[in-house]
C-alpha cells in the first residue's frame, strides 16, 4: 500500500496548481498568486507518516530525512507491515490522511463543484498544531475535507507553497464523549478566488471558474 501511495503521488509531482485572487496593498487592489508545488520530500508529512510515533523507521528529521524515507518506501525497504508496530490510535490518524491523499487531484480537477472555500489560515484561532498559511475546504460526495499548504518563498505578488496536510473533517459521532470536532474553517479569513489553473508540461488549463 505505501509504495502504491507514492506511485499515485508521483502524478502530483508533475503538476502545479495556481490560484489567483485580489489583494489590497497600500490601498491598491492587486492580483496575487499562489502556486502549489509537490515535491518528493513533502510526501512524508502529507500522507501522515509523522502520526506514526511508535515506528522508528518512518521518523524523519528535516527535508533530508523525509526524502530518505520516500526513497526507502519506493524501494520497498519500508512496507505497510512495518506500521503494525504502532498503536491503533496512531495508525488511524495515519490512515485518515493516507486515504485522503488520492482525493487531491480529483478535487482540484473538479474544483468548481467541490470547492467550499479558500482561507488564510491562522492555527491559533482554532487551537491547531498545523503550520500552514492557507486552507482549502472542499467536499467529496457527502463528506468534507481540508487541504492545507504553507509558503516556501515569496517573489513580489507570487507565493510559492508546498502541501502540508489533507484529511477528512470529523463529525461528533466519531469522537469520544465530551469532545467536539474542529471546524478548521471557523474564524479564518476568507479569500475570494478569481481563477485556478493546472500547470503541467508547460501547458496551463483553467479549472475555475
Amino acid at each position: 500500500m505505501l509504495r502504491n501511495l507514492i506511485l499515485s503521488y508521483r502524478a502530483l509531482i508533475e503538476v502545479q496548481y495556481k490560484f489567483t485572487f485580489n489583494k489590497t496593498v497600500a490601498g491598491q487592489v492587486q492580483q496575487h498568486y499562489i502556486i502549489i508545488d509537490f515535491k518528493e520530500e513533502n510526501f512524508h508529512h502529507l500522507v501522515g507518516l509523522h502520526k506514526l510515533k511508535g515506528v522508528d523507521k518512518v521518523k524523519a528529521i528535516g527535508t533530508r530525512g523525509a526524502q530518505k524515507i520516500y526513497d526507502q518506501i519506493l524501494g520497498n525497504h519500508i512496507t505497510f507491515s512495518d506500521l503494525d508496530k504502532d498503536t491503533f490510535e496512531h495508525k488511524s490518524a495515519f490512515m485518515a490522511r493516507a486515504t485522503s491523499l488520492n482525493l487531491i487531484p480529483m478535487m482540484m480537477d473538479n474544483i468548481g463543484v467541490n470547492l467550499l472555500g479558500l482561507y488564510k489560515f491562522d492555527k491559533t484561532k482554532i487551537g491547531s498544531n498545523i503550520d500552514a498559511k492557507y486552507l482549502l475546504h472542499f467536499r467529496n460526495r457527502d463528506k468534507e475535507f481540508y487541504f492545507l499548504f504553507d509558503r516556501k518563498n515569496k517573489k513580489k505578488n507570487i507565493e510559492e507553497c508546498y502541501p502540508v496536510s489533507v484529511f477528512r473533517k470529523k463529525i461528533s459521532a466519531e469522537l469520544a464523549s465530551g469532545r467536539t470536532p474542529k471546524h478548521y474553517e471557523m474564524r479564518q479569513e476568507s479569500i475570494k478566488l478569481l481563477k485556478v489553473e493546472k500547470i503541467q508540461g508547460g501547458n496551463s488549463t483553467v479549472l475555475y471558474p
Side-chain angles (χ1 to χ4, degrees):
M1 177 187 172
L2 279 180
R3 192 170 186 275
N4 289 338
L5 284 170
I6 279 189
L7 295 177
S8 297
Y9 180 73
R10 289 173 85 174
L12 281 171
I13 293 175
E14 300 174 0
V15 174
Q16 291 179 321
Y17 293 105
K18 182 179 179 181
F19 298 80
T20 303
F21 59 94
N22 285 334
K23 187 175 183 180
T24 303
V25 180
Q28 293 186 334
V29 177
Q30 301 175 359
Q31 284 202 339
H32 193 79
Y33 308 97
I34 298 170
I35 297 177
I36 306 177
D37 202 9
F38 298 82
K39 301 292 186 185
E40 292 179 354
E41 62 264 23
N42 303 139
F43 175 82
H44 180 273
H45 196 279
L46 185 60
V47 80
L49 287 171
H50 64 290
K51 292 290 184 179
L52 297 167
K53 304 182 188 301
V55 184
D56 290 339
K57 272 185 148 183
V58 297
K59 289 181 179 178
I61 300 176
T63 300
R64 287 187 179 181
Q67 180 67 55
K68 182 179 179 181
I69 290 171
Y70 179 95
D71 294 337
Q72 288 177 330
I73 294 172
L74 195 57
N76 277 325
H77 301 298
I78 297 176
T79 65
F80 194 72
S81 62
D82 292 309
L83 312 187
D84 286 337
K85 300 171 184 176
D86 212 331
T87 65
F88 174 80
E89 182 181 1
H90 290 167
K91 284 188 289 185
S92 296
F94 159 72
M95 288 301 298
R97 283 154 176 77
T99 53
S100 300
L101 177 62
N102 289 334
L103 293 178
I104 294 176
M106 183 190 309
M107 176 271 299
M108 292 301 303
D109 286 347
N110 298 282
I111 194 167
V113 175
N114 298 324
L115 178 68
L116 293 175
L118 175 66
Y119 303 88
K120 188 174 180 181
F121 184 66
D122 182 350
K123 66 179 183 179
T124 63
K125 290 182 177 180
I126 58 162
S128 170
N129 293 320
I130 301 175
D131 291 319
K133 184 162 185 186
Y134 294 103
L135 166 69
L136 192 67
H137 183 199
F138 69 97
R139 64 171 160 247
N140 181 57
R141 298 182 181 177
D142 61 338
K143 294 181 173 59
E144 296 180 28
F145 293 81
Y146 299 115
F147 176 34
L148 296 103
F149 39 101
D150 204 5
R151 185 170 70 193
K152 179 171 55 177
N153 295 306
K154 184 176 181 181
K155 300 175 182 177
K156 294 185 178 179
N157 61 336
I158 301 174
E159 290 187 75
E160 298 174 350
C161 294
Y162 61 93
V164 173
S165 194
V166 59
F167 51 90
R168 180 170 59 82
K169 181 178 182 178
K170 290 186 176 180
I171 59 175
S172 298
E174 297 174 298
L175 301 175
S177 178
R179 293 185 63 189
T180 57
K182 285 183 180 179
H183 296 258
Y184 284 77
E185 75 278 16
M186 296 297 290
R187 298 188 292 278
Q188 306 297 335
E189 181 183 337
S190 180
I191 297 172
K192 185 177 180 180
L193 270 174
L194 299 178
K195 185 191 291 187
V196 179
E197 299 167 76
K198 180 180 181 178
I199 303 169
Q200 186 172 19
N203 298 316
S204 177
T205 303
V206 175
L207 303 175
Y208 178 90

